[in-house]
Amino acid sequence: MFSKTIVSKIIALIEKYHPFTFNLKYFQITISFVMLFLLTIALMFGWFSTRKIREIVIEDFNQQQLMLAKHAASQIENSIELLERELTLLSLSPAIQYSEKPALLNRMNITFLSVKYEGVKEIKFIEAKTGKIYKVMENPNYVIEKCDSEDKKFLKWAALPSNKGEILFSEIVRCPNTPEENPPKLIMKMVTPVWQVSIDESHPVATNLFSGALVFTVDVTYLVGKVAFNIRSGKTGYAWVISNKGIFLYHEEKSFIGQNAFEARKGKKPTIAFTRINEIQREKMLKGEEGTSWYISGWHRGVKGEIKKLIAYAPIKLKEKPEPLIWSIAVVAPISEVEGAIKTIHFQQLVLQGMVIVIILSVGLFINFILVTWSNILEKEVAKKTAELRKSEERYRSLVENAEDIIFTANLRGEILSMNTFGKNFFNRSESEIIGKSMVEVFVPDGEILMGSIKKIFETGESQQVIHKIGVDDKDFWFNTNLRGLKDEKGNIYSVLGISRNITERRKLEEQSYYTEKLASLGTLAAGVAHEINNPIAIILGFTDILLEKIPKESPEYEILKIIEKHATDTKRIVENLLGFVRHKEHQEQLVNINECVNTVLEIMKNMFVINNIEVRKFLQENISFVKVDPGEIQQVLFNIINNAIYVMKGGGILTVSTKDEGEWVEISISDTGCGIPKEYRHRIFDPFFTTKEVGKGTGLGLWVSYNIVKKYNGIITFVTKTKEESEQTGTTFIVKLPVAKDQTRGTKNA
């Protein structure tokens, strides 16, 4: 009724001001066609807009999933690279190459402690000469057995010179000892040849002979599961991983693990054709590609039926040559994760379109106004979606800002374009002090190395990985930096993205392993020398005893022989003490009289005191309380501290050792008259590998090892020191306090 009135007035105005006769039917038809045309345009525009927004929302969600998949793939690749590096380092150990026992098992144990958290369940060395297998695992510690058929196959492969330095990845199989376990445990073997190419004191010249094969047994389900388990896309999305053979290595549906990825789904839901996901797996994932798509599933977290899911997938590259070995990880979520936002947009647009239709049909002459209004509303919707996209961008930025790695971008000139909060906090600099600065100014002292890698990326386009040092506040840190070029729509690199991970602790462990092996070799050498000295001493004592029986006691020769016998006996006792000190013992805590430990160490080091002109003063409290410790470890602490004291008292001095009972504590005090510890070194003396000694005269591990032994027994180690700038009487006193054992029933407490 309203529209007819408006149309009549418009017709009346036209007839009043125009001399020709107005054709109402023609005008009505024209208006109808115009309204129909405009309505058609409006509906098509709304449909295309809804479709476009739907595509944007889905693509945005899938890109987030792809970022999760790529990050997870990178984490798994890093774990595999760590295992490869540890396997290679172990194969280069002289103890392994020359089958030095027990150093061989000790070295394997050290590596096992480092890699068991990456899923390694067993390390074994297959000895080529004897066919024996030396195995290290969680429990039992190790066993020795004969080769089986698989081990012989590994040994045959490793013996080929062409495989020297290579790593073999075996087929992934179920763990034979747990066939009924749910989820099943999948294992994989990593094998590398061992050739006698390293040297040490016992083998100064490498033989270059084939020694055997090293094998890591890896729990693949654990290796990938510890990464995939924590992935959540949206509210209910999850991740799964398949091998190069299409076997599920990890899946939220535990029964799928170990099954063929092309058959497991069909077995669970035979009424659905899984053609699309099988094609994605076969044509994309197994070929090492990354991307996004969708497929139809039969269930999701207990909900059954045909469910459309969004998927993002990325390759996990284990090795490139001679043949590539690629797994693939997928992050999936039902499309319902984004349908909420899509339905809201659909509803809003349906309401708007209904209003437009009503207004167009009611007031044709005001169609232009309606279109303008509708356009404004659509602009608001676009602004709303733009805000949502901005929030999505903020989420990406939050991922970067909250990462515990230094993430930055740089241009061809090596100038830093951006850096995340963690990086700025690490360098303790403001944004203005970093952005625009050269890599050489910020990444001190190895900025030139990173500059060279960045230029190489711009030249070749290939990603680079650099291990380098960063110095901050007089402290050195080691970082592993991955550099990758960022390309524009034309494929040209416009900047380089760098992700730097702090590997200082891992590098310290590697260096500690090297020095531990070196010290173990020195202990073996000392034991060998002591054994060789024992033989001539025994002969001297034997012949002296024979001569004493034949020579009268009152003769001068008899006195000379007794002197020889006394000194030979003293020498034998010193050698026996040295053997007892370096001989490896199992860790065993027991009630210990600390005075006995002090006397043992002082007796062992007696010759060192004489050689270095050191006067020893002992003040040991009688009836001192027992402490519950491993006596060998406490002797190591005393040896390290006294050895340092001897070093600083060059030309002679006084070493004072005292013990006393302080109720709940037993205190050991060791003082020297050396030069004291300078102020700039005092806060670092318990750091690993810190030493002020010349190269070759100290490892920097003594006080660090002592500190950790004392801390293990809930003890306290402190020191008091004076230099010549602080006092006329210089020197250092180390004070070790150990808690008194509650059980004091061992026997007498006299020294």
Side-chain angles (χ1 to χ4, degrees):
M1 192 70 180
F2 174 77
S3 61
K4 287 183 178 179
T5 303
I6 297 296
V7 170
S8 299
K9 289 184 178 180
I10 293 174
I11 292 173
L13 288 172
I14 293 174
E15 289 178 334
K16 179 179 179 180
Y17 292 102
H18 289 271
F20 59 88
T21 302
F22 185 75
N23 191 334
L24 178 60
K25 185 176 181 181
Y26 177 81
F27 180 78
Q28 289 177 329
I29 294 174
T30 303
I31 291 295
S32 298
F33 276 107
V34 169
M35 288 191 295
L36 182 62
F37 176 75
L38 294 176
L39 183 62
T40 302
I41 291 177
L43 290 173
M44 290 183 63
F45 182 75
W47 182 77
F48 281 117
S49 176
T50 301
R51 183 178 177 183
K52 187 64 178 177
I53 293 174
R54 176 187 176 88
E55 291 174 355
I56 291 173
V57 173
I58 291 175
E59 179 61 20
D60 174 64
F61 186 85
N62 247 345
Q63 287 300 318
Q64 294 181 51
Q65 293 199 132
L66 180 59
M67 178 174 286
L68 288 173
K70 290 166 69 175
H71 182 67
S74 176
Q75 288 182 298
I76 296 173
E77 288 175 356
N78 288 340
S79 294
I80 294 295
E81 289 175 2
L82 172 62
L83 295 182
E84 291 178 341
R85 182 164 56 255
E86 291 294 338
L87 183 60
T88 302
L89 286 174
L90 185 58
S91 70
L92 295 175
S93 171
I96 302 297
Q97 294 177 2
Y98 300 105
S99 299
E100 297 175 350
K101 295 172 280 294
L104 178 147
L105 292 169
N106 290 339
R107 185 65 181 84
M108 291 171 67
N109 260 318
I110 292 171
T111 300
F112 181 75
L113 292 175
S114 175
V115 299
K116 69 178 183 178
Y117 300 106
E118 298 297 334
V120 175
K121 298 301 180 185
E122 173 186 279
I123 300 177
K124 60 183 177 181
F125 172 58
I126 309 170
E127 191 176 43
K129 185 177 181 181
T130 63
K132 289 184 178 180
I133 297 177
Y134 299 87
K135 187 185 297 184
V136 172
M137 62 183 73
E138 189 71 37
N139 187 21
N141 192 18
Y142 62 84
V143 294
I144 302 177
E145 55 190 30
K146 290 292 184 180
C147 292
D148 57 19
S149 58
E150 184 185 46
D151 294 329
K152 290 179 180 178
K153 182 177 70 174
F154 290 158
L155 201 59
K156 183 178 179 181
W157 174 87
L160 296 175
S162 59
N163 292 328
K164 196 171 183 180
E166 297 292 331
I167 294 178
L168 172 68
F169 290 82
S170 73
E171 295 290 336
I172 298 172
V173 298
R174 287 175 178 256
C175 184
N177 298 326
T178 57
E180 301 300 326
E181 190 172 353
N182 187 24
K185 185 182 294 183
L186 305 179
I187 62 171
M188 172 184 72
K189 306 290 181 67
M190 296 174 63
V191 187
T192 192
V194 179
W195 292 74
Q196 296 176 355
V197 296
S198 299
I199 61 172
D200 60 9
E201 286 84 349
S202 301
H203 305 85
V205 179
T207 65
N208 292 307
L209 298 177
F210 175 65
S211 182
L214 270 172
V215 183
F216 278 10
T217 301
V218 184
D219 185 345
V220 179
T221 305
Y222 173 83
L223 177 70
V224 301
K226 69 175 183 175
V227 176
F229 176 80
N230 296 316
I231 294 177
R232 283 293 176 271
S233 177
K235 295 181 179 179
T236 63
Y238 56 84
W240 46 265
V241 183
I242 60 174
S243 71
N244 60 314
K245 300 293 185 181
I247 303 299
F248 278 121
L249 305 181
Y250 177 83
H251 199 283
E252 190 73 17
E253 185 73 28
K254 304 303 181 185
S255 61
F256 281 8
I257 298 177
Q259 294 193 44
N260 189 297
F262 298 91
E263 300 172 358
R265 298 185 182 89
K266 195 69 176 177
K268 184 176 178 66
K269 197 74 173 177
T271 58
I272 296 179
F274 297 94
T275 306
R276 186 174 180 87
I277 183 59
N278 289 339
E279 183 178 351
I280 291 172
Q281 292 175 155
R282 183 182 299 105
E283 301 300 325
K284 303 292 184 181
M285 298 177 69
L286 294 184
K287 291 183 179 180
E289 297 182 14
E290 68 176 46
T292 60
S293 189
W294 62 270
Y295 68 97
I296 301 298
S297 176
W299 64 93
H300 184 77
R301 293 191 179 275
V303 179
K304 297 183 179 179
E306 291 193 6
I307 300 173
K308 185 175 181 180
K309 291 185 178 180
L310 302 177
I311 180 173
Y313 47 88
I316 304 170
K317 298 179 180 179
L318 276 67
K319 67 174 186 176
E320 299 287 344
K321 298 178 181 179
E323 293 183 0
L325 178 58
I326 300 173
W327 298 344
S328 187
I329 183 168
V331 178
V332 299
I335 199 169
S336 60
E337 293 283 354
V338 295
E339 278 183 341
I342 295 173
K343 286 181 179 179
T344 300
I345 298 170
H346 281 176
F347 177 78
Q348 292 174 349
Q349 291 200 338
L350 284 174
V351 171
L352 291 174
Q353 289 172 10
M355 292 174 60
V356 170
I357 291 171
V358 171
I359 294 173
I360 289 176
L361 294 175
S362 301
V363 192
L365 295 177
F366 296 102
I367 191 67
N368 186 54
F369 173 77
I370 298 302
L371 287 175
V372 171
T373 304
W374 190 33
S375 176
N376 291 336
I377 294 174
L378 287 179
E379 286 180 4
K380 292 179 180 179
E381 287 299 315
V382 172
K384 181 180 179 182
K385 299 316 299 180
T386 302
E388 291 180 0
L389 291 174
R390 189 177 295 111
K391 289 181 180 178
S392 175
E393 182 181 349
E394 289 297 327
R395 286 198 296 271
Y396 294 141
R397 184 177 291 109
S398 177
L399 287 173
V400 173
E401 291 298 327
N402 294 322
E404 294 187 355
D405 297 323
I406 300 175
I407 303 176
F408 63 92
T409 56
N411 59 19
L412 176 60
R413 295 185 298 275
E415 297 170 342
I416 298 175
L417 304 177
S418 66
M419 182 175 290
N420 66 341
T421 302
F422 179 86
K424 288 180 280 190
N425 291 340
F426 176 82
F427 287 109
N428 196 21
R429 297 189 185 185
S430 64
E431 185 170 349
S432 61
E433 293 175 314
I434 292 179
I435 305 304
K437 303 296 182 182
S438 171
M439 299 287 293
V440 177
E441 299 178 51
V442 179
F443 288 81
V444 179
D446 292 342
E448 289 287 355
I449 298 175
L450 293 172
M451 287 272 287
S453 298
I454 290 173
K455 291 179 180 178
K456 192 171 182 180
I457 290 175
F458 275 95
E459 292 172 359
T460 65
E462 297 179 357
S463 300
Q464 302 288 319
Q465 186 178 49
V466 183
I467 295 178
H468 59 94
K469 185 189 296 183
I470 297 179
V472 178
D473 297 332
D474 297 326
K475 292 184 179 180
D476 290 334
F477 300 88
W478 285 94
F479 276 79
N480 183 350
T481 298
N482 289 292
L483 299 169
R484 179 176 295 178
L486 299 178
K487 299 180 180 179
D488 56 22
E489 62 276 3
K490 296 182 180 180
N492 298 322
I493 296 176
Y494 62 89
S495 66
V496 170
L497 171 66
I499 302 178
S500 300
R501 174 158 295 179
N502 192 335
I503 60 169
T504 305
E505 292 302 321
R506 185 191 304 171
R507 194 172 182 92
K508 284 182 179 178
L509 286 174
E510 292 174 357
E511 293 180 2
Q512 178 185 351
S513 174
Y514 166 77
Y515 282 111
T516 300
E517 184 175 335
K518 185 175 181 181
L519 290 173
S521 299
L522 290 176
T524 303
L525 179 63
V529 172
H531 178 73
E532 292 300 322
I533 293 175
N534 260 336
N535 291 333
I537 291 298
I539 294 172
I540 292 171
L541 286 172
F543 280 108
T544 302
D545 190 49
I546 293 171
L547 291 173
L548 285 171
E549 291 178 357
K550 295 182 179 182
I551 296 176
K553 293 185 178 180
E554 60 276 3
S555 66
E557 290 81 2
Y558 186 88
E559 291 299 324
I560 293 172
L561 289 172
K562 290 300 286 184
I563 293 172
I564 294 173
E565 182 184 44
K566 178 182 182 302
H567 286 282
T569 303
D570 289 344
T571 304
K572 182 179 180 182
R573 186 179 69 257
I574 292 170
V575 170
E576 288 174 349
N577 287 338
L578 179 61
L579 275 172
F581 187 75
V582 302
R583 188 175 292 118
H584 173 75
K585 297 178 182 177
E586 294 292 332
H587 176 79
Q588 184 176 6
E589 293 185 12
Q590 61 189 47
L591 291 178
V592 174
N593 186 322
I594 210 67
N595 291 345
E596 296 174 0
C597 293
V598 172
N599 286 329
T600 299
V601 174
L602 292 178
E603 182 66 22
I604 291 171
M605 304 182 74
K606 184 162 72 173
N607 282 351
M608 295 178 66
F609 298 143
V610 175
I611 293 171
N612 291 278
N613 194 25
I614 304 296
E615 178 187 345
V616 179
R617 297 177 181 176
K618 288 194 301 182
F619 301 96
L620 309 183
Q621 177 180 325
E622 295 184 355
N623 298 318
I624 198 164
S625 297
F626 293 128
V627 293
K628 192 169 185 179
V629 294
D630 185 325
E633 291 184 342
I634 297 303
Q635 290 173 17
Q636 182 67 51
V637 172
L638 300 176
F639 180 86
N640 290 342
I641 296 174
I642 294 174
N643 190 47
N644 285 347
I646 293 173
Y647 177 80
V648 298
M649 291 190 289
K650 297 177 180 178
I654 300 173
L655 177 73
T656 305
V657 183
S658 62
T659 61
K660 63 180 179 179
D661 205 325
E662 292 191 331
E664 295 183 358
W665 300 91
V666 170
E667 180 181 293
I668 312 163
S669 176
I670 304 172
S671 302
D672 63 59
T673 57
C675 57
I677 303 172
K679 290 183 179 179
E680 62 268 23
Y681 297 147
R682 293 175 186 176
H683 69 288
R684 299 184 61 192
I685 64 169
F686 292 119
D687 289 351
F689 308 111
F690 174 75
T691 179
T692 58
K693 297 178 182 178
E694 296 88 344
V695 176
K697 293 188 177 181
T699 64
L701 289 172
L703 288 178
W704 179 72
V705 170
S706 301
Y707 176 85
N708 283 283
I709 291 173
V710 173
K711 284 295 182 183
K712 181 170 67 175
Y713 295 116
N714 298 317
I716 303 170
I717 180 169
T718 58
F719 67 92
V720 178
T721 184
K722 296 291 183 181
T723 61
K724 62 182 180 180
E725 290 82 7
E726 298 170 319
S727 174
E728 294 181 1
Q729 294 182 346
T730 62
T732 301
T733 299
F734 277 88
I735 302 167
V736 177
K737 291 185 177 182
L738 297 170
V740 171
K742 295 180 180 179
D743 180 12
Q744 294 286 322
T745 60
R746 195 192 78 169
T748 179
K749 296 188 283 183
N750 291 332

